[in-house]
Amino acid sequence: MELKELNRLGRELKETLNLKTSPVAVKLVADEKDIPEGMEKIGESTRHCQMVDNVRRTGSAFYTTYDDHQCKGGAAVMGMHEMGEKLKSGEFYFHLNHFGNLEAARETMERVPHVEPFSVKNILYAPLEETNFMPDIIVIVTTPRHVMELSQALLYTSGGRIVSSFAGKQSLCGDGVALPYTTGEVGVTVGCSGSRKYTQIQDEEMIISIPVERLPELVKAADKMFGQPC
């Protein structure tokens, strides 16, 4: 798939479903040479969830290093580093009173999707309709109705089911990027305390993440299902 075609698909998807913000192209990079020439590094330290939210609302595009990620847990599950012991053991969430006991917290954190530690050097972000790189994952923050329509379109040709997996923890990083990146499956998630605290994701919004290989069939099906009057 050429970049011009990718951008066209992004525009068409946004128009067909009347998405209020842009689908976000995300790429995990193991070597700096894969960063497009002229692409700027993000100018501040912030969280992955905030990066996704900023891109979808403002149309900004940038690349990041591990040091740019204020949430080290998010960076870790996306393969930039090892997860810190307090987070990995569940102690962090246990002391926030998110679990009734440490074992429950540990069990949950052990099942958070994650990319191989230190396998990712940079992460690239851009609105899908304007991206100048080929992403791994498309992250869409939108209403439950749009998630329903996207799910229906994804199943239009081959059928099956969308199987979501989430715990309200490490949501836009683990569920939104690491899960589809490592499994090739669509990810559906509801956000987490951090992503809903630090971003402008609304109470009535949720997240669906799609491996880029599924995009052409998705857009074609969405146009057939929702692009024309019944």
Side-chain angles (χ1 to χ4, degrees), residues 6-7 10-11 22-23 58-61 126-133:
L6 186 71
N7 297 151
R11 291 192 298 271
S22 293
T58 70
S60 58
L128 179 60
E129 65 270 24
E130 298 176 3
T131 182
N132 64 345
F133 60 84

Side-chain angles (χ1 to χ4, degrees), residues 93-106:
Y93 286 117
F94 175 64
H95 286 298
L96 288 178
N97 198 32
H98 286 195
F99 292 94
N101 57 76
L102 186 57
E103 183 57 34
R106 182 185 301 110

